[in-house]
């Protein structure tokens, strides 16, 4: 897979994302989705060992715990990019919940 220089540095929950950053993430998501044969990044995800309900729960504190798992994941950039491209409206993806992703895309 072709890597965009500096893409790993794009993911930082405390960072202000520019429109160019969001565009780069979304383009990466499109590339990952279009390369359906290349799902190797999914097998390296930290969440694969966790209960999926944790990432899609409305229970108080669930998203905080899910984000903690994401913060230690090596493929959170790919996950966030895929969620942005696929316009995922539920759950925690790449360390961001649906509201945070909406805000990110609206910049």
């Amino acid at each position: 897979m072709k890597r965009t220089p500096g893409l790993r540095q794009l993911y930082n929950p405390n960072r202000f994302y520019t429109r160019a950053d969001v565009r780069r993430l979304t383009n990466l998501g499109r590339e990952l989705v279009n390369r359906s044969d290349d799902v190797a990044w999914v097998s390296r995800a930290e969440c694969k060992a966790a209960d999926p309900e944790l990432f899609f729960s409305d229970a108080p504190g669930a998203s905080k715990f899910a984000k903690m798992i994401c913060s230690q994941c090596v493929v959170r950039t790919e996950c966030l990019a895929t969620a942005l491209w696929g316009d995922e409206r539920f759950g925690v993806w790449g360390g961001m919940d649906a509201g945070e992703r909406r805000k990110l895309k609206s910049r």
Side-chain angles (χ1 to χ4, degrees), residues 46 55 62-73 92 95:
E46 288 291 322
F55 293 85
S63 69
K64 188 175 185 177
F65 190 69
K67 290 176 186 181
M68 188 171 65
I69 293 171
C70 292
S71 72
Q72 311 216 349
C73 187
V92 175

Side-chain angles (χ1 to χ4, degrees), residues 4-12 15-29 77 80-81 84 96 104-105 107:
T4 306
L7 194 56
R8 287 270 175 228
Q9 289 75 31
L10 271 178
Y11 180 81
N12 181 340
R15 179 174 185 257
F16 177 78
Y17 290 87
T18 65
R19 280 198 177 278
D21 293 337
V22 175
R23 194 170 32 252
R24 287 172 62 198
L25 279 169
T26 305
N27 287 339
L28 172 65
T77 301
L80 177 59
L84 290 171
M96 290 187 170
L104 182 65
K105 285 185 85 169
R107 290 186 183 164

Side-chain angles (χ1 to χ4, degrees), residues 36-87:
S36 60
D37 59 323
D38 184 16
V39 292
W41 69 270
V42 176
S43 67
R44 297 189 322 267
E46 288 291 322
C47 61
K48 71 179 181 184
D51 181 5
E53 288 292 320
L54 180 66
F55 293 85
F56 296 93
S57 176
D58 290 333
S63 69
K64 188 175 185 177
F65 190 69
K67 290 176 186 181
M68 188 171 65
I69 293 171
C70 292
S71 72
Q72 311 216 349
C73 187
V74 297
V75 294
R76 64 182 175 262
T77 301
E78 290 86 346
C79 183
L80 177 59
T82 302
L84 290 171
W85 171 251
D87 198 27

